[in-house]
Amino acid sequence: MSWNTFGRVLRFTTWGESHGPALGAVVDGCPPGLLLDEGAIQPFLDARKPGQSKFTTQRKEADLVRILSGVFEGPDGQQQTTGTPISLMIENTDQRSKDYSEIAKTYRPGHADYSYDAKYGFRDYRGGGRSSARETAARVAAGAVARLVLPEVQIIAYVAEIGGDAADAANFDAAEIAGNPFWCPDAAAAKRWAALVDDARKAGSSLGAVVECVATGVPAGWGAPVYAKLDADLAAAMMGINAVKGVEIGDGFGAARLTGEQNADPMRPGEDVPEFAANHAGGIAGGISTGQPVVVRVAFKPTSSILTPVETVDRDGNAAEVRTKGRHDPCVGIRGTPVVEAMMALVLADHKLLHRAQCG
Amino acid sequence: MSWNTFGRVLRFTTWGESHGPALGAVVDGCPPGLLLDEGAIQPFLDARKPGQSKFTTQRKEADLVRILSGVFEGPDGQQQTTGTPISLMIENTDQRSKDYSEIAKTYRPGHADYSYDAKYGFRDYRGGGRSSARETAARVAAGAVARLVLPEVQIIAYVAEIGGDAADAANFDAAEIAGNPFWCPDAAAAKRWAALVDDARKAGSSLGAVVECVATGVPAGWGAPVYAKLDADLAAAMMGINAVKGVEIGDGFGAARLTGEQNADPMRPGEDVPEFAANHAGGIAGGISTGQPVVVRVAFKPTSSILTPVETVDRDGNAAEVRTKGRHDPCVGIRGTPVVEAMMALVLADHKLLHRAQCG
Amino acid sequence: MSWNTFGRVLRFTTWGESHGPALGAVVDGCPPGLLLDEGAIQPFLDARKPGQSKFTTQRKEADLVRILSGVFEGPDGQQQTTGTPISLMIENTDQRSKDYSEIAKTYRPGHADYSYDAKYGFRDYRGGGRSSARETAARVAAGAVARLVLPEVQIIAYVAEIGGDAADAANFDAAEIAGNPFWCPDAAAAKRWAALVDDARKAGSSLGAVVECVATGVPAGWGAPVYAKLDADLAAAMMGINAVKGVEIGDGFGAARLTGEQNADPMRPGEDVPEFAANHAGGIAGGISTGQPVVVRVAFKPTSSILTPVETVDRDGNAAEVRTKGRHDPCVGIRGTPVVEAMMALVLADHKLLHRAQCG
Amino acid sequence: MSWNTFGRVLRFTTWGESHGPALGAVVDGCPPGLLLDEGAIQPFLDARKPGQSKFTTQRKEADLVRILSGVFEGPDGQQQTTGTPISLMIENTDQRSKDYSEIAKTYRPGHADYSYDAKYGFRDYRGGGRSSARETAARVAAGAVARLVLPEVQIIAYVAEIGGDAADAANFDAAEIAGNPFWCPDAAAAKRWAALVDDARKAGSSLGAVVECVATGVPAGWGAPVYAKLDADLAAAMMGINAVKGVEIGDGFGAARLTGEQNADPMRPGEDVPEFAANHAGGIAGGISTGQPVVVRVAFKPTSSILTPVETVDRDGNAAEVRTKGRHDPCVGIRGTPVVEAMMALVLADHKLLHRAQCG
């Protein structure tokens, strides 16, 4: 079925296709009285938007957001949320009118062409239609609203690894992240990645990536056991991003190789709250935040849009071949980074409100 | 908040604490006319139940399920589902009346003691209360009902790795899985693990594990883009199991280290449906099943219940120390295996019905 | 489909059939720290239970509730809610083993026999199965939990009319309500109704009723526009009670016959909040409470279980006739009164928490 | 809280304020392959739109709908639904820039001014903001999509009563309904109402109304017991329409005054399905459709916008007075009629899909 709403209390619904007239999100349940105008959203869309460097797709989209409802005059002539649904719209402008006849009839392996057809009987094939990563612009816009609900929380996402080449945690420099086209916290790695991604781009190949996201300032107590655990909701949020194939909380798969002694997070008396000597758990125990940083790792596969011909079938079941010419992202994990941040914000904001509902 | 319901159309709600009188599940939305009695559920509970070997906790629970509603006389004197909610109850029998004073006042690091207290202000500390893995018995019972909805699907889960020692895929033998106490598909690995886990048990230590689950027979077309994608729902389902810290679909994090060429899943003409030359995607593209086997990998951390003393604090914030004496699971991933299977069944059954709702 | 959960934040799920072993409710999302034991629920079940007078069905059910989860030791040796799901169970004891062969094969007009069969292909016909009003015992138990969430609110329901004979508002005496077998606030009317209902009972006939419910102490601001309005949720809650065919808020259908001037609720300065000169609106404007008493009126049809033979068909489509011998309620509105109260409590408690989620 | 989504499988979310730039709906879960373009929606909006006669508000709105997503090329050059969310937008054009200072500071009794302020701390007061009946345009647009899901069902709503003057059922003429400005099925009543409403309009007064809606062609078996009963969902849908204060199914409150014998709906053998000798039940038994026409009656209060001054308070709690000059609807029930039809379609379509999910 189609299910385009996410969240339990702070809910958002997105709509729109890659090459339709527009796409958007409706954010519902947002508390009233938060300062919100387009200027509070646009920077996050700018961070995600294509064509920013030669390392991302050359599709040109202004990705200008418009707020159509849910805000009104606030203090000092500023605009604030009213508590009613916030409708956000982004018009598509660069729907290049190319010939889609090939993709219309032939399934691109690794894309959702075949599965959408199998489900719905047909599909909007222009640029992937609803399955296009362009939909994530709506999440990023919604995520900007969610951030307003979380003034106490700092969220930062960065690329930790591209094509198997990992940034060095010892070189971690938060200030570096926005300073290179890879959201890389390690200047040396960024330099290596420039060559790596450029080679892939020139060869019409593509690379996978791992993105990490850390939220600090999350108090202990957020999370809704047992079927809306904070980590379960984060897993769904991240796994639902286009091209994502894996999610870890804290040490993740690494924890499966540790002993109980190695994986322990000893606690010590702290000032207001206990201190933790380690954070293998990634800030979540029993599905509830512990007050430690919430840490998520997300695996992006390499995009299936490559220049090398791949065997496939057409809609009639005949053998065919497909190769992707033209603009595409050589490493979708890069542009996925602001989306990971947005989803972290959306999940945390929802859980903050959920916690307040039950526990006051 | 508390959120104890899972699913969208086939929904189940669980309740109960580790040391309360009973625990259970209410399964709602199940189609009518499916043959169901206790005998269809009990074998799955038996697979999960404790005390089966020296490699799992020695708590003795019969884990007998009772169906309290939702079934009625069917053909040939058999009992069948009526379409109304199915209430399943399992009584707790071995709630050993030990002294809980230590755990009542002192937080066990790695457990949910501190986070539950931070959330609710206090907690039922007997055996972890609601945060105990005992709750998963209710999921396994619900999962047995979900299986009835999926006669076309075969689901099998097995342990792929314990303490970093992986089973060899070349030795994979499905018949072996139920033949050793580890759900291990590789007889040689099972032998090694016996020593490994026994050592851990004797040392009062614990080990992590990786569980794999494969569902075959899932037709192309199940999944609900974009916020109830099949992979996203599986990620939530698995990450919500006690002690799970990571989830992968198909190649998962491995895909992040591949190129687009290596990660391709070429398609070829098949008899009824296309054949896939590979299944890096784990049977899901764009959140919708492709007709290939659905493959999930799940990382279980080592349990935090160890004999080695760990630093902690008490409820008053004073320094303390905790060590776990008595019965516990040296490798919770083992008993987690039937739970992974159950969650796979529950997610697939829900998506089968969701698909039918929209697409007939 | 089957959909046995009600509520958005404070949710409850009921299960069970009229003649199964038991029925129950799972209440989820309840705040922690509320004093709760069986004694807080039983009086409400006693008010609803059958066999209390000759004016209700003579089925004898103890309707003893058992709390199976969600509570733990609180202050002073009392039991309190933990924030986890509260499982409530009521065992059926008087499932008279009568011969159901007639009802099994023949549809009782006005009952849900035919519609259940049309939906599910068959049904548990014993006493109406899931469609029996016995299910409302679970709502009443859940409602008792909801009341704990609403210490500031007083809820009272009473029968305003039986068989077209209305109680006189001028004789309204709250103390009288529990003093007669009709929940009638007018002693004179109660006397008349005794004769009226007794005549119906002896004749094997049945009578409709109108129940009113008033909640005072609800602050202004509860309600979730625009598709979970307080009045819309109350309408669903009440219309979903067995035998209910109409719901009014405030003046209801009477308001449709007034002019704007007559229907006005003028406001005047009050101490803390404005005073209202009238309450035609029944305490709700725009789906949000105004601080005035919330007033609901509910129409119960006469039960279809009557001694007079009624034309019908059997499962094979042949003409048949049905008449109801044995125990039944001559006026189901009477026993519906505690159910109306319970649903009012459940809706208000849910909206209190919903309001807190968004507006702090 | 804010909760702007309705439905379980076929869900829609609306957004927008009376005097914002636009309003709209996102319809999710719609089956693929249904022919849909703006032309399939516009006639229903035209039926609802203001300024059609002197008997409705003189605000001029073109109410042109635009489909922004969820449709794509279908057969014969027509456009069809894809199964992805359908975004519908209607721009506001006649937001008369009048002086809102009075309404901004003074609560209009009977409107949602006070309750919105009590909830959110402030409100968009222009024309009622989100609480304006203008929001119902979005429902009507969504309802047009729902109708596509229900080719087997015919839905018709009409005004049965204005200001206490009822149309005569004996004069019922379906062809008459769209032939007068009152959706009145009785030509004689329409004539009387013209005078009645005109008098009210000239006097700056307002009148209540009762709207009836009948859906024929609904097969037996739709409905989701016990907390999403068809009648309960209809009650919520109707009670949530602006100015509605009462809802009846079938005989409604009238049934409360009947005996069981009078209220019986005897069944007789029919061709494919049984025939019913009467339909007191309004086509629903036990929350499930019986195959008889589904009949709903809805009470609209007179609008509170009247010329006569009404006592009130301002935001500072001081005594004030309010009277409504300028354009308004003398009888909001008239324009509510297409909204009742739309909500009937939306509830039925949702239940058709829900039924299909569980029962195939």
Side-chain angles (χ1 to χ4, degrees):
Chain A
M1 206 174 69
S2 188
W3 200 283
N4 293 278
T5 299
F6 187 92
R8 290 176 166 84
V9 167
L10 185 74
R11 281 152 292 119
F12 69 98
T13 302
T14 73
W15 55 270
E17 276 80 36
S18 172
H19 285 61
L23 53 88
V26 182
V27 182
D28 200 6
C30 183
L34 305 175
L35 297 181
L36 174 66
D37 58 15
E38 281 84 355
I41 301 175
Q42 198 58 50
F44 297 101
L45 284 169
D46 291 346
R48 192 211 75 103
K49 82 177 173 191
Q52 300 282 78
S53 77
K54 65 178 174 180
F55 305 108
T56 60
T57 176
Q58 296 307 300
R59 176 169 175 169
K60 296 286 183 202
E61 285 289 354
D63 276 359
L64 290 177
V65 69
R66 222 181 130 202
I67 304 177
L68 294 174
S69 69
V71 294
F72 192 58
E73 305 160 359
D76 306 323
Q78 290 175 289
Q79 212 172 235
Q80 61 181 338
T81 58
T82 58
T84 63
I86 300 163
S87 178
L88 307 171
M89 183 167 72
I90 299 161
E91 289 186 67
N92 287 325
T93 55
D94 187 18
Q95 309 114 296
R96 195 175 290 189
S97 58
K98 74 171 185 182
D99 179 10
Y100 287 105
S101 55
E102 190 185 345
I103 179 180
K105 295 207 179 123
T106 309
Y107 299 125
R108 296 168 302 164
H111 283 280
D113 299 351
Y114 174 68
S115 56
Y116 263 69
D117 257 19
K119 179 170 200 68
Y120 297 117
F122 80 117
R123 75 200 134 94
D124 177 348
Y125 44 73
R126 301 165 304 165
R130 181 73 183 150
S131 74
S132 165
R134 209 164 150 58
E135 185 270 344
T136 59
R139 306 189 203 195
V140 169
V145 176
R147 285 167 197 265
L148 303 178
V149 180
L150 298 166
E152 70 274 55
V153 176
Q154 297 76 45
I155 300 172
I156 192 156
Y158 46 88
V159 179
E161 193 178 317
I162 288 184
D165 180 4
D168 187 344
N171 292 345
F172 188 95
D173 175 5
E176 179 64 29
I177 294 171
N180 61 68
F182 306 105
W183 310 109
C184 178
D186 166 3
K191 218 165 159 186
R192 299 195 306 272
W193 293 353
L196 197 65
V197 177
D198 208 36
D199 285 353
R201 183 181 65 85
K202 286 178 188 156
S205 182
S206 65
L207 298 167
V210 175
V211 173
E212 277 179 18
C213 186
V214 180
T216 49
V218 176
W222 292 1
V226 296
Y227 297 116
K229 286 179 173 175
L230 185 54
D231 39 5
D233 277 6
L234 284 169
M238 300 305 168
M239 194 68 92
I241 299 173
N242 308 52
V244 169
K245 301 304 284 186
V247 183
E248 298 178 316
I249 305 291
D251 281 10
F253 279 85
R257 283 132 208 167
L258 300 179
T259 62
E261 293 76 16
Q262 293 163 333
N263 191 55
D265 291 331
M267 299 166 77
R268 291 167 191 159
E271 255 186 69
D272 294 323
V273 291
E275 282 178 8
F276 287 73
N279 187 22
H280 297 283
I284 303 175
I288 303 175
S289 59
T290 63
Q292 292 296 99
V294 174
V295 182
V296 181
R297 282 167 58 88
V298 183
F300 285 84
K301 71 172 185 180
T303 178
S304 306
S305 299
I306 52 176
L307 204 56
T308 305
V310 180
E311 277 182 275
T312 188
V313 297
D314 63 20
R315 296 198 75 205
D316 300 322
N318 302 314
E321 209 179 64
V322 76
R323 56 197 292 262
T324 303
K325 290 153 288 193
R327 51 193 190 173
H328 78 283
D329 276 290
C331 176
V332 290
I334 299 170
R335 288 186 51 227
T337 305
V339 184
V340 167
E341 267 195 13
M343 294 310 296
M344 174 70 93
L346 286 155
V347 170
L348 290 177
D350 189 29
H351 273 282
K352 177 180 177 176
L353 302 188
L354 265 173
H355 176 65
R356 191 157 75 180
Q358 188 182 21
C359 299
Chain B
M1 207 173 70
S2 188
W3 200 283
N4 293 278
T5 300
F6 187 92
R8 290 176 168 83
V9 168
L10 185 74
R11 279 152 293 120
F12 68 98
T13 302
T14 73
W15 54 270
E17 276 79 35
S18 171
H19 285 62
L23 52 88
V26 182
V27 182
D28 199 8
C30 183
L34 306 174
L35 297 182
L36 174 67
D37 59 14
E38 280 85 354
I41 300 176
Q42 197 59 50
F44 298 101
L45 283 170
D46 290 347
R48 194 210 73 100
K49 83 178 172 192
Q52 301 282 78
S53 77
K54 65 177 175 181
F55 305 108
T56 60
T57 175
Q58 296 309 298
R59 177 171 173 166
K60 296 285 183 202
E61 286 289 353
D63 276 357
L64 290 177
V65 68
R66 221 181 131 202
I67 302 178
L68 295 175
S69 68
V71 294
F72 193 57
E73 305 160 359
D76 306 322
Q78 291 176 289
Q79 211 172 237
Q80 60 181 338
T81 58
T82 58
T84 62
I86 301 163
S87 178
L88 307 170
M89 184 167 71
I90 300 160
E91 290 186 66
N92 287 325
T93 54
D94 187 18
Q95 310 115 292
R96 192 174 292 189
S97 59
K98 74 169 184 182
D99 178 9
Y100 287 106
S101 55
E102 191 185 343
I103 178 179
K105 296 211 178 118
T106 309
Y107 299 124
R108 296 169 302 164
H111 284 281
D113 299 350
Y114 174 68
S115 56
Y116 263 69
D117 257 18
K119 180 170 197 67
Y120 296 119
F122 78 116
R123 77 201 134 94
D124 177 347
Y125 44 75
R126 300 165 304 165
R130 181 72 183 151
S131 73
S132 165
R134 213 170 144 56
E135 184 271 344
T136 60
R139 307 189 203 196
V140 169
V145 177
R147 285 167 196 266
L148 303 177
V149 180
L150 298 167
E152 70 274 55
V153 176
Q154 298 76 42
I155 300 173
I156 191 157
Y158 47 88
V159 179
E161 194 179 316
I162 288 185
D165 179 4
D168 187 345
N171 292 345
F172 186 95
D173 176 5
E176 179 63 30
I177 294 170
N180 60 68
F182 305 106
W183 309 109
C184 178
D186 166 4
K191 218 166 158 184
R192 299 196 305 270
W193 293 353
L196 198 62
V197 177
D198 208 35
D199 285 353
R201 182 180 66 83
K202 286 176 188 157
S205 181
S206 64
L207 298 167
V210 175
V211 173
E212 278 180 17
C213 185
V214 179
T216 50
V218 177
W222 293 0
V226 299
Y227 298 115
K229 287 179 172 175
L230 185 53
D231 40 4
D233 277 6
L234 284 169
M238 301 304 170
M239 194 68 91
I241 299 173
N242 308 50
V244 170
K245 302 304 285 185
V247 182
E248 297 179 315
I249 305 292
D251 282 10
F253 279 85
R257 282 131 207 169
L258 299 179
T259 63
E261 294 77 17
Q262 294 163 331
N263 191 55
D265 290 332
M267 298 166 76
R268 291 164 192 161
E271 256 186 69
D272 295 323
V273 291
E275 281 179 8
F276 286 74
N279 187 23
H280 296 285
I284 303 175
I288 303 175
S289 59
T290 62
Q292 292 296 102
V294 174
V295 182
V296 182
R297 283 167 56 88
V298 183
F300 285 82
K301 70 172 186 180
T303 177
S304 306
S305 299
I306 52 176
L307 204 56
T308 305
V310 181
E311 277 181 275
T312 189
V313 297
D314 63 21
R315 295 197 75 205
D316 301 321
N318 303 313
E321 210 178 64
V322 75
R323 56 198 292 261
T324 304
K325 288 152 286 191
R327 51 192 191 177
H328 77 283
D329 276 290
C331 177
V332 288
I334 299 170
R335 289 185 52 225
T337 304
V339 184
V340 167
E341 266 195 12
M343 294 309 297
M344 174 70 93
L346 286 156
V347 170
L348 290 175
D350 189 30
H351 273 282
K352 177 180 178 176
L353 301 188
L354 263 173
H355 177 65
R356 190 157 78 180
Q358 187 182 20
C359 299
Chain C
M1 205 172 71
S2 189
W3 200 282
N4 292 278
T5 299
F6 187 92
R8 290 177 166 84
V9 168
L10 184 74
R11 281 152 291 118
F12 70 97
T13 301
T14 72
W15 54 269
E17 276 80 37
S18 172
H19 285 61
L23 54 88
V26 182
V27 182
D28 199 7
C30 183
L34 305 175
L35 297 181
L36 174 66
D37 59 15
E38 280 84 354
I41 300 177
Q42 197 59 49
F44 298 101
L45 284 169
D46 291 347
R48 193 211 74 100
K49 84 177 171 191
Q52 301 282 79
S53 77
K54 65 177 173 179
F55 305 109
T56 60
T57 176
Q58 296 308 301
R59 177 169 174 168
K60 297 286 183 202
E61 285 289 354
D63 277 357
L64 291 177
V65 68
R66 221 180 130 202
I67 303 176
L68 295 174
S69 68
V71 293
F72 193 56
E73 304 160 0
D76 306 322
Q78 291 175 288
Q79 212 172 234
Q80 61 182 338
T81 60
T82 59
T84 63
I86 300 162
S87 178
L88 306 171
M89 184 167 71
I90 299 161
E91 289 186 67
N92 287 325
T93 54
D94 186 18
Q95 309 114 295
R96 194 175 291 189
S97 58
K98 73 169 185 182
D99 179 10
Y100 288 105
S101 55
E102 191 186 345
I103 179 178
K105 295 208 179 121
T106 309
Y107 298 125
R108 296 168 302 164
H111 282 281
D113 298 351
Y114 174 67
S115 56
Y116 264 68
D117 256 20
K119 180 170 198 67
Y120 297 118
F122 79 116
R123 78 202 133 93
D124 177 347
Y125 45 74
R126 300 166 305 166
R130 182 71 182 152
S131 73
S132 165
R134 212 169 145 56
E135 185 270 345
T136 60
R139 307 189 203 195
V140 168
V145 177
R147 283 168 197 266
L148 303 178
V149 180
L150 298 166
E152 70 274 55
V153 176
Q154 297 77 42
I155 300 173
I156 192 158
Y158 47 89
V159 179
E161 194 180 316
I162 288 186
D165 180 4
D168 186 344
N171 292 345
F172 188 95
D173 175 5
E176 179 64 27
I177 295 171
N180 60 69
F182 305 106
W183 309 110
C184 178
D186 167 3
K191 218 165 158 184
R192 299 194 306 270
W193 294 353
L196 198 64
V197 177
D198 207 35
D199 286 353
R201 183 179 65 83
K202 287 177 188 157
S205 181
S206 64
L207 298 167
V210 175
V211 173
E212 278 180 17
C213 186
V214 179
T216 50
V218 176
W222 293 1
V226 299
Y227 297 117
K229 286 179 173 174
L230 185 53
D231 39 6
D233 278 7
L234 284 169
M238 300 305 168
M239 195 68 93
I241 299 173
N242 308 52
V244 169
K245 301 304 283 185
V247 183
E248 297 179 315
I249 305 291
D251 281 9
F253 279 85
R257 282 133 208 166
L258 300 179
T259 62
E261 293 76 16
Q262 293 163 331
N263 191 55
D265 290 332
M267 298 166 76
R268 292 167 192 159
E271 253 184 72
D272 294 324
V273 292
E275 282 177 8
F276 286 74
N279 188 22
H280 296 283
I284 303 175
I288 303 175
S289 59
T290 62
Q292 292 296 100
V294 173
V295 181
V296 181
R297 281 169 58 89
V298 183
F300 285 83
K301 70 171 186 181
T303 177
S304 305
S305 298
I306 53 177
L307 203 56
T308 305
V310 180
E311 278 182 272
T312 189
V313 298
D314 65 19
R315 295 197 76 205
D316 300 322
N318 303 313
E321 209 178 66
V322 75
R323 57 197 291 262
T324 304
K325 287 153 288 193
R327 50 192 193 177
H328 78 283
D329 276 290
C331 176
V332 289
I334 299 170
R335 288 183 54 226
T337 305
V339 184
V340 167
E341 266 194 14
M343 294 309 297
M344 173 70 92
L346 286 156
V347 170
L348 289 176
D350 189 28
H351 273 281
K352 177 180 177 175
L353 302 187
L354 264 172
H355 177 65
R356 191 157 76 181
Q358 187 182 21
C359 298
Chain D
M1 206 173 68
S2 188
W3 199 284
N4 293 278
T5 300
F6 187 93
R8 289 176 167 82
V9 167
L10 184 74
R11 280 152 292 119
F12 70 97
T13 302
T14 72
W15 54 269
E17 276 79 35
S18 172
H19 285 62
L23 53 89
V26 182
V27 182
D28 199 7
C30 183
L34 306 175
L35 297 182
L36 175 65
D37 59 14
E38 280 84 355
I41 300 175
Q42 197 59 50
F44 297 101
L45 283 169
D46 291 347
R48 194 212 71 102
K49 84 177 170 193
Q52 301 282 79
S53 77
K54 65 177 175 181
F55 305 109
T56 60
T57 175
Q58 295 308 300
R59 177 169 173 168
K60 297 285 181 201
E61 285 288 354
D63 276 0
L64 290 176
V65 68
R66 223 180 128 204
I67 303 177
L68 295 174
S69 69
V71 294
F72 193 57
E73 304 160 359
D76 306 322
Q78 291 176 286
Q79 210 173 236
Q80 60 182 338
T81 59
T82 57
T84 62
I86 301 163
S87 178
L88 307 171
M89 183 167 71
I90 299 161
E91 289 187 66
N92 288 326
T93 54
D94 186 18
Q95 310 113 295
R96 195 174 290 188
S97 58
K98 75 169 183 183
D99 179 9
Y100 287 106
S101 54
E102 191 185 344
I103 179 179
K105 295 208 178 120
T106 308
Y107 298 125
R108 295 169 303 164
H111 283 281
D113 298 350
Y114 174 68
S115 56
Y116 264 68
D117 257 20
K119 179 169 199 67
Y120 296 118
F122 79 117
R123 76 201 135 95
D124 178 347
Y125 45 74
R126 300 166 305 166
R130 182 72 182 152
S131 73
S132 166
R134 211 167 147 57
E135 186 270 345
T136 60
R139 307 189 202 195
V140 169
V145 177
R147 284 167 196 267
L148 303 177
V149 180
L150 298 166
E152 70 275 55
V153 176
Q154 298 75 45
I155 300 173
I156 191 157
Y158 47 88
V159 178
E161 192 179 319
I162 288 186
D165 180 4
D168 186 344
N171 293 344
F172 188 95
D173 176 4
E176 179 64 29
I177 294 171
N180 61 66
F182 305 106
W183 310 109
C184 177
D186 167 3
K191 217 165 158 184
R192 296 194 307 269
W193 294 353
L196 198 62
V197 177
D198 207 35
D199 285 353
R201 183 181 64 84
K202 286 177 189 158
S205 181
S206 65
L207 299 167
V210 174
V211 174
E212 278 181 18
C213 186
V214 179
T216 50
V218 176
W222 293 0
V226 296
Y227 297 116
K229 288 180 171 173
L230 186 53
D231 40 4
D233 277 6
L234 284 169
M238 300 306 169
M239 195 67 92
I241 299 174
N242 307 51
V244 170
K245 302 304 286 184
V247 182
E248 297 179 316
I249 304 293
D251 282 10
F253 279 84
R257 283 133 206 167
L258 299 178
T259 63
E261 293 77 16
Q262 295 163 331
N263 190 57
D265 290 331
M267 299 167 75
R268 292 166 191 160
E271 256 186 70
D272 295 322
V273 291
E275 281 178 8
F276 286 74
N279 188 22
H280 296 285
I284 303 174
I288 303 176
S289 59
T290 63
Q292 292 297 101
V294 174
V295 182
V296 181
R297 283 168 57 88
V298 183
F300 285 83
K301 70 172 185 180
T303 177
S304 307
S305 299
I306 52 175
L307 204 56
T308 304
V310 180
E311 278 181 273
T312 189
V313 297
D314 64 21
R315 297 197 75 207
D316 300 322
N318 303 312
E321 210 180 63
V322 77
R323 56 197 292 261
T324 305
K325 288 153 286 190
R327 51 194 191 176
H328 77 284
D329 276 291
C331 176
V332 290
I334 299 170
R335 290 185 51 226
T337 304
V339 184
V340 167
E341 266 195 12
M343 294 310 297
M344 174 69 93
L346 286 156
V347 170
L348 290 175
D350 188 30
H351 273 282
K352 177 179 177 177
L353 302 187
L354 263 173
H355 177 65
R356 192 157 77 180
Q358 187 182 21
C359 298

